[in-house]
Amino acid sequence: MNGRERAAAVFKYRQTDIPCFDLMEGTVWDSVGYYFRKAHGLRNAEDVIDFLDCDFRWSHLFGKTLPLPDSDDAVRGLSGTNYSDSSGGYLLSDTVSVADIDRLFNPDPYKREIPDFEKMRRKFPDKALVFCVPWTPFFSGACSFFGMERAMITMLTEPELYYAFAIKQKEYLCEYIRLAIRAGAAEYCDFFWTGDDFASENGLILSPAHWRKLVKPYLKEAFDIAKTAGMLTLFHSCGAVSEVYPDFIEMGIDSHIGVQTSGKGMDIERLARDFGGKLVIFGGIDAQTTLIKCTSAQVERETRRNIGAFADCGGYIVSNSHHGLPDIPGENLAAMARAAGRRI
């Protein structure tokens, strides 16, 4: 089987020649890139993805060579932000009316780059291709733009402000999907990807009832467009989210990506027992426990454990549960790939 055939079989819950495998969302971050440069002489992120024999290629990285750092000075320390930081610039933190939202928040899908999907397919004829939209979350997006505390208070006490934001975010997301489909996304890509973060390791940050009211309807519109066009769907969400897995399935989500098995209720045997054959589990090699705390031999054993949990029901893709963490040893990612049948 080639990568595209392997991925297609997994989403039909069928047997594959070797386990389906990906470095989560095709992401090679600085510290792990530096490892592969030193250990294997690789020059750029694309070389790392090829070396690991990943089954997927991601549109948000297409055309970017992303050279690997040649010095450990470039990879020290933590970097990046999350939705509790000012990654949205707190643009809406001082808004008091819907008119303020209308004035300040007007994302334009026509100004976002759309990849050349036909060219991408020509370059990767035997890989599963993923059409990725820009990061357009609803809950974590509101936290970025309003500030986390203000966003959560607004959702409960001034919901009209949240809805003004969410409707514009939804319109932006949906129109970008339509534009990409017209540009060949559904013709050349196998999968559609989007995401939102709304959980900690212990459970949802907002109640399931509030999530169903404030987030689910907008996400469903986006997935409906992608599903109608014929793409399978991937949804990124960190933390303990299995409480709303039935909602994922009802919405037409085919796979949860970023599965964090150290989260409450997210242990791999439970997921296989309760959702095997219903939802593809994409991830599960935990980036906060297994990949950081274990030896390479232990990583291989844990990876095989995950694969074994889904042996009878299918629908599992080996992948790290998150990316970008500088304390993940590169050799542990290589071990994960070996356990998935890659000869490295």
Side-chain angles (χ1 to χ4, degrees):
M1 284 180 162
N2 62 37
R4 191 180 191 189
E5 293 167 340
R6 197 171 293 122
V10 167
F11 279 78
K12 294 176 182 176
Y13 302 96
R14 294 176 181 171
Q15 187 74 28
T16 56
D17 55 341
I18 58 175
C20 198
F21 171 77
D22 188 52
L23 192 61
M24 182 186 167
E25 296 165 350
T27 301
V28 179
W29 57 101
D30 280 350
S31 56
V32 75
Y34 180 54
Y35 164 80
F36 281 103
R37 182 174 186 135
K38 285 181 61 181
H40 300 285
L42 305 181
R43 299 166 300 168
N44 55 52
E46 189 172 311
D47 287 349
V48 175
I49 299 300
D50 290 341
F51 176 78
L52 294 174
D53 191 21
C54 295
D55 290 322
F56 296 79
R57 295 298 183 273
W58 300 77
S59 70
H60 68 103
L61 296 172
F62 178 63
K64 300 177 182 177
T65 57
L66 298 175
L68 302 182
D70 58 7
S71 165
D72 59 2
D73 291 337
V75 301
R76 290 178 179 148
L78 294 169
S79 63
T81 57
N82 57 53
Y83 62 75
S84 65
D85 301 317
S86 58
S87 54
Y90 294 153
L91 178 68
L92 305 178
S93 61
D94 295 326
T95 53
V96 297
S97 68
V98 170
D100 289 339
I101 307 289
D102 288 337
R103 176 173 53 85
L104 293 170
F105 185 64
N106 291 286
D108 186 352
Y110 292 89
K111 292 182 179 179
R112 296 303 300 248
E113 179 183 0
I114 294 178
D116 186 334
F117 299 110
E118 182 180 8
K119 185 176 181 181
M120 190 177 174
R121 174 53 72 198
R122 288 199 305 269
K123 184 173 183 179
F124 304 114
D126 61 348
K127 300 296 182 181
L129 300 189
V130 185
F131 157 47
C132 306
V133 299
W135 183 242
T136 47
F138 294 94
F139 176 77
S140 60
C143 292
S144 293
F145 284 104
F146 288 95
M148 190 170 189
E149 182 178 356
R150 170 76 196 285
M152 297 183 73
I153 292 172
T154 296
M155 289 176 189
L156 294 177
T157 65
E158 299 178 280
E160 68 277 5
L161 298 186
Y162 168 78
Y163 287 126
F165 157 78
I167 289 168
K168 285 198 171 188
Q169 186 84 313
K170 182 262 298 182
E171 290 173 347
Y172 168 53
L173 171 60
C174 290
E175 183 61 12
Y176 183 85
I177 297 169
R178 294 185 192 99
L179 291 172
I181 289 171
R182 290 200 287 271
E187 180 179 358
Y188 297 107
C189 295
D190 308 287
F191 297 95
F192 163 79
W193 172 98
T194 191
D196 193 1
D197 290 322
F198 42 79
S200 71
E201 290 85 353
N202 294 315
L204 301 188
I205 297 173
L206 68 172
S207 72
H210 279 105
W211 180 84
R212 291 176 184 123
K213 180 179 179 181
L214 297 168
V215 176
K216 180 179 176 180
Y218 303 112
L219 281 173
K220 188 175 186 307
E221 282 197 47
F223 284 116
D224 283 348
I225 296 169
K227 295 286 283 188
T228 300
M231 288 180 281
L232 293 163
T233 54
L234 312 176
F235 182 61
H236 169 108
S237 195
C238 298
V241 299
S242 63
E243 191 171 7
V244 290
Y245 268 9
D247 296 270
F248 286 8
I249 295 165
E250 186 272 329
M251 291 161 63
I253 294 172
D254 294 299
S255 175
H256 173 211
I257 181 169
V259 175
Q260 184 179 337
T261 52
S262 60
K264 183 179 179 180
M266 299 291 289
D267 56 283
I268 201 69
E269 286 81 12
R270 176 182 178 263
L271 296 184
R273 182 188 71 241
D274 293 349
F275 300 102
K278 302 174 185 177
L279 183 73
V280 171
I281 299 301
F282 196 139
I285 313 304
D286 199 273
Q288 291 187 329
T289 55
T290 304
L291 288 172
I292 292 174
K293 298 178 181 180
C294 293
T295 65
S296 293
Q298 290 170 325
V299 169
E300 289 196 41
R301 286 198 295 272
E302 189 70 10
T303 302
R304 293 192 185 100
R305 171 193 168 191
N306 287 10
I307 294 167
F310 285 83
D312 294 332
C313 57
Y316 179 65
I317 298 171
V318 176
S319 184
N320 44 311
S321 68
H322 212 289
H323 50 68
L325 302 179
D327 47 355
I328 295 177
E331 56 266 30
N332 279 356
L333 294 174
M336 177 180 71
R338 283 194 299 273
R342 272 55 186 179
R343 297 180 179 182
I344 62 172

